[in-house]
Every structure is written in structure tokens, then in C-alpha cells.
Amino acid sequence: MTTKYPNLTAAQESLFLTLAGRALDSRLPRPFLGDVTSDRTISELEYDPSVFRILSTDLRDPRNKVFELAVRAKRLDEIVRRFVARQPEAVVLDLGAGLDNRMHRIGTPSDVDWYDVDFPEVVALRQQVLPQPANAHPVGVDLRTDHRWLDEVPSDRPAVIVADGLVPFLSQTDLVMLLGRLTRHFPCGELAFNGYTPLAVWAIKHLRIAGSLDVEAAVNPGFFNPYEPERWGVGLRLVEEIAIARAPEVADLPPVTRLVHRVAGRISPVSRLVATVVLRYRFPRGNGGGER
Ligand SMILES: C[S@@+](CC[C@H](N)C(=O)[O-])C[C@H]1O[C@@H](n2cnc3c(N)ncnc32)[C@H](O)[C@@H]1O
């Protein structure tokens, strides 16, 4: 049997976990996100989502399986949508974009320049399966080692930078260096990503929730306190911690998980343990430290 996608490393293959989560969400009677393009993409590539135990187990209600993946994507979409509505000349960077079609999902205005950044193999696949409008700029690089790509990105416009699912794959040094380069590049902007607590990283490695993924690919230690990135010396100021445990979509979960999220959502530290958080930071140019 021939596969419709190339051999990918564990970090690259993780894109199918988030893609499958959005695809399965779109098949629910009342989807949280409703991204039918992700379903079409994964079907076109004939990828079998059951390799991810977290998505395939019969022990969990389908809503529980996709809730976090779908709702965190939805919150990140909202952050980008609001930013480009306020700043129509903005630049958007989606770091570790995988096969996500966020640009189309949010109905991006044509004046916005959008950069989907991922490994060259992944970007090549994106170009095969997702439409590429004129203001889309796919960038195929290893974010740990390739620094020149930013030279091609306008540095005189505000930027909104999102990273959905990328953080575990960057060492702390690589992550801080990358963020420093980004916050120095743009005059100002916002950065938003889903956070990973040390417990979440431990779970990825030891509970093998992502099934076939090589757990060694998760190298970031994670952090618990959403203010911690303010101490990385890259000019970030926390604007908002969005706890998915408190999301309005919790109302559509089955009774037991709804109750668990509602109870956990009352106490911030506990809400971070029960479900992911989306963190939004603001930065002005010039505050960043680290090397270029
Ligand atoms: C969990 S997936 C998320 C993909 C996408 N954001 C989504 O929500 O579907 C993580 C992505 O980060 C990318 N990635 C990990 N390390 C990277 C690196 N060093 N440089 C570029 N991309 C990287 C992987 O290739 C993968 O596409």
C-alpha cells in the first residue's frame, strides 16, 4: 500500500494528532470547532487517526476526546481574528502550523500577510493539500536552527504569533532564543500558545497518550505559572490566561467531565491541571534579551 504522505519524524507526525482531533470534532453532532477542512485533509491523506490512543479509545465519549484540541484551536483563532480586525495591516505567524488551515478558518483579510512555518517536509505537504492564497507565505524551516527566514518577513508591521502544539518540541533554550528573535523583529504584537505544565509534559512522555509518537520528541520542561515567560527576558507581558476548563463549551461535555471541569475551573492552579490553558502575551520591540 502506498501512503499519501512522506516518512515523518515523531515531532512532525504530531501534526496528525491535532489534525485528527479537529477532524473528529467536525463529525460530532454539535462540534466545538466545526473544521470540516481538517476532516477532508486527513481523509485525503488516508491517515488512520486510531494510531492515537487518546483519540481512538472506546472508553471515552467522543466529545471528551476532542474537546481540548478543538477548543484551544478555537481560542487561538479568536485571538488572531480579533488582532487582524484591529490591525488590518498585521502580519500573522503560525509557528509549527502542521496541516492546520487557521488562515481559512478565520476568514483572513487579504491585506494581512500570513506565514505558516514548519519543517520543509511538512510545508511541502501543506502545499499539496491546502489552498495557498496570494497572501499566504509558507516557510519550510527548522525553527531551532534556521534563523534567516525572518529576514524575509516585514519588520515594520504589528504581528500576531500563534503556536498550537509546538512548545513541547523546542528545548527551553531554543524556545527562548526563538521568542527573543521574534519580539525584536516586530515593532509590537501579541504571542499566543497553549501552555504545557510539567505534569502535562510528563503525561505526554510516560502515559504515551499520543500513541505511536516517540516520547523523546517532547523536550520542553513546561511551566506552571503563566507569568514565567515574563522572566525569560524577551519582552513578554501576560495579557490573558484562558483556562479551557472554564470555556463556555464545557456545557456541551458529558455530565461527569462537565462537573470535573466546572469544579476545577474555580481554582486557577487546578484548572491548569485538568485542561490546557491558552496564554496570550503582548510585546513591544526592544525589550527582548537573548541573541539574534
Ligand atoms: C502538535 S503539531 C501541531 C500542528 C498544528 N499547529 C496544528 O494545530 O495542527 C506540532 C507541529 O510543530 C512542528 N514542529 C515541531 N518542531 C519544529 C521545529 N523545530 N521547526 C519547525 N516546526 C516544528 C511539527 O512539525 C508539527 O507540525
Side-chain angles (χ1 to χ4, degrees):
M1 189 186 104
T2 55
T3 55
K4 297 200 169 178
Y5 47 90
N7 278 335
L8 298 172
T9 66
Q12 293 165 352
E13 194 159 356
S14 70
L15 71 86
F16 283 109
L17 174 60
T18 39
L19 183 70
R22 292 189 299 271
L24 296 179
D25 166 72
S26 75
R27 298 178 201 167
L28 292 174
R30 278 168 58 87
F32 297 109
L33 179 69
D35 176 2
V36 290
T37 303
S38 285
D39 196 21
R40 210 166 38 235
T41 305
I42 205 159
S43 306
E44 199 174 309
L45 291 170
E46 295 175 7
Y47 191 89
D48 176 10
S50 69
V51 299
F52 300 117
R53 209 167 59 192
I54 191 175
L55 296 178
S56 61
T57 173
D58 289 335
L59 298 175
R60 303 179 79 200
D61 182 286
R63 289 168 290 176
N64 291 335
K65 295 181 199 172
V66 301
F67 172 72
E68 274 206 34
L69 292 170
V71 176
R72 83 185 197 204
K74 192 171 170 181
R75 289 296 96 85
L76 289 166
D77 286 1
E78 289 160 2
I79 289 170
V80 178
R81 196 182 288 117
R82 284 199 304 264
F83 190 94
V84 300
R86 286 196 311 271
Q87 315 252 24
E89 78 290 15
V91 169
V92 183
L93 303 187
D94 192 338
L95 304 178
L99 295 182
D100 194 2
N101 63 312
R102 172 165 290 117
M103 178 178 188
H104 310 281
R105 230 174 19 239
I106 71 164
T108 306
S110 58
D111 286 346
V112 166
D113 279 297
W114 187 292
Y115 294 79
D116 282 307
V117 190
D118 209 300
F119 287 110
E121 298 83 343
V122 174
V123 165
L125 193 55
R126 275 190 78 82
Q127 288 174 293
Q128 278 173 42
V129 295
L130 290 172
Q132 300 293 316
N135 56 337
H137 311 281
V139 181
V141 292
D142 182 338
L143 284 163
R144 295 166 301 183
T145 52
D146 296 338
H147 309 321
R148 302 283 294 276
W149 63 275
L150 252 187
D151 297 345
E152 307 299 318
V153 179
S155 59
D156 55 353
R157 291 157 60 182
V160 56
I161 304 166
V162 281
D164 189 347
L166 171 71
V167 169
F169 301 107
L170 299 180
S171 71
Q172 187 61 15
T173 306
D174 288 335
L175 176 63
V176 172
M177 299 273 277
L178 172 65
L179 296 181
R181 281 192 294 277
L182 292 168
T183 56
R184 280 193 304 275
H185 186 80
F186 298 103
C188 58
E190 290 188 2
L191 166 74
F193 58 92
N194 60 308
Y196 291 81
T197 62
L199 183 69
V201 176
W202 182 91
I204 293 173
K205 284 173 176 285
H206 297 279
L207 303 184
R208 298 186 172 252
I209 50 177
S212 64
L213 290 187
D214 175 356
V215 290
E216 296 311 315
V219 291
N220 194 276
F223 58 90
F224 195 75
N225 181 346
Y227 288 97
E228 180 156 329
E230 294 192 354
R231 295 197 279 269
W232 294 346
V234 294
L236 298 175
R237 286 288 164 264
L238 180 70
V239 181
E240 195 180 14
E241 178 190 24
I242 306 169
I244 299 302
R246 293 193 194 124
E249 292 84 354
V250 166
D252 287 332
L253 284 173
V256 173
T257 35
R258 191 190 320 146
L259 180 67
V260 170
H261 283 76
R262 289 248 159 93
V263 172
R266 287 167 182 260
I267 309 162
S268 288
V270 182
S271 69
R272 292 176 201 138
L273 296 175
V274 165
T276 190
V277 293
V278 168
L279 300 168
R280 182 161 73 93
Y281 300 88
R282 208 165 272 151
F283 60 87
R285 176 151 58 196
N287 278 0
E291 290 171 29
R292 214 174 231 298

